[in-house]
Amino acid sequence: MRIGTTMPAAALLAIAGSLLAGGFFLQLGNPAANPEAQKRNAVLVVKAAGCHDPAGAHLTATAIGIVNGQRREIPLKVDRLSEAGAFSIARQWPKDGKWVIELVARNPDQFTNTLVVAGPDGVERTRAKLAMQPFTAADVDAMLR
């Protein structure tokens, strides 16, 4: 009888593994844990993850904010780190206003993006939203509230 109770669990794990295989997503990391990112004064480390070649991933970032009632967008410089698929971003947006960082990653066959709130004291990695299709202006506005 033991086999009957463990087989469904094993089958579920196999199915879950195959569903996640081939995925492409971004992991947000703490620059304090990465000496290379610290040297670049990074406020965020981003890693391309999933079942793909991380070295082929390309990342762009934009700070989108509301300052004095005006919407602003600032393209951010993204630095590639020595680890394949790892990037760092230094603060390049004003402390005034409310900000969201839009991270867009592509590899030859896949797309992913993440929104993360940037507060006056840094990036709030726990307040992030990811999707496999581009975010709308409404998605960004919801994060800015």
Side-chain angles (χ1 to χ4, degrees), residues 1-8:
M1 283 299 175
R2 210 133 174 50
I3 292 175
T5 59
T6 58
M7 287 299 282

Side-chain angles (χ1 to χ4, degrees), residues 15-131:
I15 291 168
S18 66
L19 289 174
L20 294 174
F24 182 48
F25 55 94
L26 299 174
Q27 293 177 327
L28 306 179
N30 185 348
N34 185 313
E36 186 179 5
Q38 286 179 7
K39 288 179 186 174
R40 296 171 188 246
N41 297 316
V43 295
L44 182 64
V45 171
V46 181
K47 290 184 184 179
C51 203
H52 69 285
D53 175 19
H58 177 72
L59 179 73
T60 59
T62 305
I64 305 167
I66 304 291
V67 179
N68 298 323
Q70 298 291 324
R71 187 179 184 97
R72 295 186 52 200
E73 292 191 15
I74 302 171
L76 303 177
K77 180 178 182 266
V78 176
D79 291 320
R80 189 174 286 272
L81 299 174
S82 59
E83 179 184 348
F87 306 88
S88 69
I89 299 170
R91 182 182 189 95
Q92 301 160 57
W93 55 94
K95 287 194 175 200
D96 296 342
K98 293 183 178 182
W99 294 92
V100 170
I101 308 304
E102 181 178 39
L103 304 164
V104 176
R106 290 181 171 81
N107 69 24
D109 301 317
Q110 297 168 304
F111 169 91
T112 190
N113 59 168
T114 299
L115 296 174
V116 60
V117 173
D121 297 322
V123 176
E124 300 176 31
R125 295 184 321 274
T126 60
R127 294 189 55 206
K129 179 179 180 179
L130 76 95

